[in-house]
Amino acid sequence: MSSTKNLFGKGALRAALLATTLCAVAPAMSFAETVLNVAQRQDPQNLDPIDTFRLSWGSIASNVFEGLVFRGEDLQLQPGLATGWEFLDDETRIRFTLREGVEFHNGEPFNAEAVKYTFDRLLGEQGEQGPQRSNYTSISEVVVVDEFTVDFMMERPDPVLITKLAGYGAMIVPPKYIEEVGEEAFDMKPVGTGPFMVADYQPTIGARLEKSDSYWNGEAKVDVVDIRFISEDATRIAELLSGGVDIALNIPKPSVQTIQANENVDLVSVDGPTVVINRFNTKTGITTDPLVRRAIAHAIDTNAIIEAMLGGLASPISSAQGEKSFGNDPALVPYAYDPERAKSLLAEAGIEPGTEITLDFPGNLDTFREVSQVIAAYLDQVGLKLNVRPHESSVYFNDVLPNGKTGELYYFGWGGWTFDFDNTAYLLYHTGERQNPYIEDAKLDELLDAQRATYDTDVRRDALQAVANYAYENVLDLPLYNEATLYGVNTGVQGFVPAPDDRARYMNVTVE
């Protein structure tokens, strides 16, 4: 049920009296105003594109900001604020032709100077303070050619750059507005060129987006998107089921059956970017032996885990990526569940029954905590005793994992929003990377560096698939599942298309 219907139900007299009282000091709110109510788990704490990497930012600011390139729910790249681009000078320069007639929400014109300002800021001192700058350091300089043409001068090849220009730190910002109001004010009330503008943002509370009447690419179908930050899963689901919100993001797996049983709410699912794998310590302990690693891979029934623990709302994977990822090899199949073979391999490796190993993971992951207990039961059946060792999240990611303090197995989850295996594989397998405390392999380094040095998609695909196959053959990881992105949607909502990358967009949504 939408808030418009509620307005004329209980509380209608109070609302009318309040509107009458306020009309002398402010324009009266139109009772025809259509409001889409949304709930999401997290508050990004900051709406500036260069100051955050959180998915919670994407589900708000994707409606406010735009990049030179646009990527919709089908994950296909298309022109955004740039109408086209071409590679020049042996691919050392990328020329973008900009869209004319576009304005920021404050009336400031979008042009080449705005693009240059955006990337000078991102690659300069302001960008150094945030997490996005490192994604764009392949750009040495942005040069203004004329009012609606810019050249990106490249420090080195960056085959994922065009995709990255469609998201997060690369969103185009207004120079004059930022210089006038300052950085802190822009964090709280930014201005973009998108279909909605930020009317109000209150950290930990919510954000109110209002339709932009001057949007260059059409008109949003609702006047207001009212986004509430509700961190408690139970509260967020209760609001969805009662009609207090029209769309709920971040649906927890335990709530799936409750939502499916409610005739007023639909559960919408799409394969997302997040994969969950167990990695092996290949430097110390019994998992230095590939026979042991393969035995563990065959000992665990990942399909059963997906069905029983995740309600079927995930997909099995054969490498550290889902099937939507560029670089995925569809011919590669997950390790078969074969406990007898697992026992044989352990015997061949000389591992005594009852041998203890350890799995480390962040203790705040409730679902994975349950999954780890199931994994322990499977390993017990083949003669291995698994000790599960949870850690405080920041300790795990800042100390245990990067400093190689794990046991034989350790958790890794990654949401590569670019849907390009490079985004994950380089972190996992390249020597010296923070997320790779154990593997030093010249062949993997060569493959990973080769695909980063070219824009040729065939060369890149072959190299990335070779990385996936090499990791598979050497059992460097135990891929578990590709998580689904889940949304709860009131049946009165029309036009909502689920976004695999969690960047929910509301322009074409209507609500009864």
Side-chain angles (χ1 to χ4, degrees), residues 28-43:
M29 183 181 73
S30 168
F31 279 38
E33 182 179 67
T34 56
V35 181
L36 177 69
N37 291 294
V38 177
Q40 63 182 56
R41 178 186 290 139
Q42 290 185 318
D43 167 21

Side-chain angles (χ1 to χ4, degrees), residues 60-183:
I60 299 172
S62 296
N63 299 280
V64 176
F65 293 102
E66 295 175 298
L68 297 179
V69 180
F70 176 80
R71 189 182 73 177
E73 289 78 7
D74 61 0
L75 301 182
Q76 298 301 306
L77 297 175
Q78 56 187 284
L81 291 178
T83 58
W85 51 89
E86 59 179 330
F87 290 81
L88 304 171
D89 300 341
D90 294 325
E91 300 176 335
T92 62
R93 179 164 58 104
I94 310 174
R95 172 160 292 183
F96 291 88
T97 303
L98 306 182
R99 193 174 299 278
E100 300 183 28
V102 177
E103 292 184 348
F104 290 96
H105 299 143
N106 64 333
E108 189 174 333
F110 162 75
N111 53 28
E113 291 295 341
V115 176
K116 178 173 174 55
Y117 178 87
T118 294
F119 286 92
D120 285 352
R121 178 173 178 261
L122 172 61
L123 298 171
E125 293 182 3
Q126 187 64 30
E128 285 181 342
Q129 301 173 33
Q132 287 294 335
R133 182 180 182 274
S134 61
N135 287 322
Y136 302 93
T137 53
S138 59
I139 305 167
S140 63
E141 184 184 8
V142 173
V143 176
V144 173
V145 178
D146 59 40
E147 186 176 6
F148 294 106
T149 310
V150 294
D151 284 349
F152 279 38
M153 313 304 292
M154 302 303 295
E155 187 77 29
R156 61 181 183 277
D158 186 348
V160 194
L161 178 65
I162 301 301
T163 299
K164 290 187 288 191
L165 292 180
Y168 292 83
M171 298 292 96
I172 306 301
V173 299
K176 292 181 181 178
Y177 178 78
I178 295 177
E179 295 303 317
E180 288 172 1
V181 304
E183 294 289 347

Side-chain angles (χ1 to χ4, degrees), residues 178-198:
I178 295 177
E179 295 303 317
E180 288 172 1
V181 304
E183 294 289 347
E184 291 185 5
F186 187 72
D187 292 346
M188 295 295 105
K189 193 168 184 180
V191 163
T193 62
F196 291 94
M197 52 189 177
V198 177

Side-chain angles (χ1 to χ4, degrees), residues 195-227:
F196 291 94
M197 52 189 177
V198 177
D200 185 45
Y201 168 58
Q202 298 182 46
T204 74
I205 305 298
R208 177 183 170 91
L209 308 182
E210 295 182 352
K211 176 177 66 177
S212 171
D213 293 329
S214 60
Y215 183 50
W216 63 271
N217 197 25
E219 184 177 356
K221 293 179 170 58
V222 295
D223 299 307
V224 173
V225 180
D226 189 5
I227 301 170

Side-chain angles (χ1 to χ4, degrees), residues 422-483:
D422 170 83
N423 182 254
T424 306
Y426 207 91
L427 299 177
L428 292 182
Y429 305 121
H430 198 281
T431 302
E433 285 295 310
R434 178 179 173 83
Q435 306 291 342
N436 174 27
Y438 301 121
I439 299 170
E440 298 179 16
D441 192 301
K443 181 174 181 178
L444 285 172
D445 290 348
E446 181 182 356
L447 288 168
L448 289 164
D449 289 336
Q451 62 86 29
R452 279 199 166 183
T454 179
Y455 293 100
D456 188 314
T457 56
D458 291 334
V459 171
R460 293 194 63 241
R461 183 184 295 106
D462 289 347
L464 290 172
Q465 288 185 349
V467 169
N469 277 269
Y470 188 89
Y472 182 91
E473 292 299 325
N474 290 278
V475 202
L476 300 180
D477 315 292
L478 172 57
L480 293 174
Y481 46 82
N482 176 197
E483 291 185 339

Side-chain angles (χ1 to χ4, degrees), residues 192-359:
T193 62
F196 291 94
M197 52 189 177
V198 177
D200 185 45
Y201 168 58
Q202 298 182 46
T204 74
I205 305 298
R208 177 183 170 91
L209 308 182
E210 295 182 352
K211 176 177 66 177
S212 171
D213 293 329
S214 60
Y215 183 50
W216 63 271
N217 197 25
E219 184 177 356
K221 293 179 170 58
V222 295
D223 299 307
V224 173
V225 180
D226 189 5
I227 301 170
R228 295 162 57 194
F229 307 134
I230 305 177
S231 59
E232 291 294 329
D233 288 341
T235 304
R236 194 169 61 261
I237 299 306
E239 282 290 284
L240 172 69
L241 298 178
S242 68
V245 298
D246 303 303
I247 299 175
L249 281 59
N250 319 115
I251 300 298
K253 301 297 188 298
S255 299
V256 165
Q257 290 185 341
T258 301
I259 293 174
Q260 289 174 329
N262 190 302
E263 62 181 11
N264 297 317
V265 178
D266 293 324
L267 181 72
V268 181
S269 171
V270 62
D271 283 344
T274 302
V275 294
V276 174
I277 65 175
N278 279 340
R279 307 208 71 202
F280 289 108
N281 179 341
T282 57
K283 276 195 173 179
T284 60
I286 65 171
T287 47
T288 58
D289 188 338
L291 290 175
V292 174
R293 301 198 297 268
R294 187 168 295 277
I296 292 172
H298 286 300
I300 297 167
D301 189 344
T302 54
N303 285 320
I305 290 174
I306 290 169
E307 291 302 318
M309 309 300 297
L310 305 174
L313 296 169
S315 302
I317 51 177
S318 55
S319 59
Q321 58 187 322
E323 65 176 18
K324 289 185 171 72
S325 169
F326 178 83
N328 182 60
D329 185 352
L332 203 60
V333 297
Y335 299 109
Y337 174 55
D338 189 341
E340 293 306 315
R341 186 180 181 194
K343 292 177 185 178
S344 175
L345 288 168
L346 289 172
E348 183 181 348
I351 304 301
E352 295 292 331
T355 297
E356 296 190 14
I357 59 175
T358 299
L359 167 62

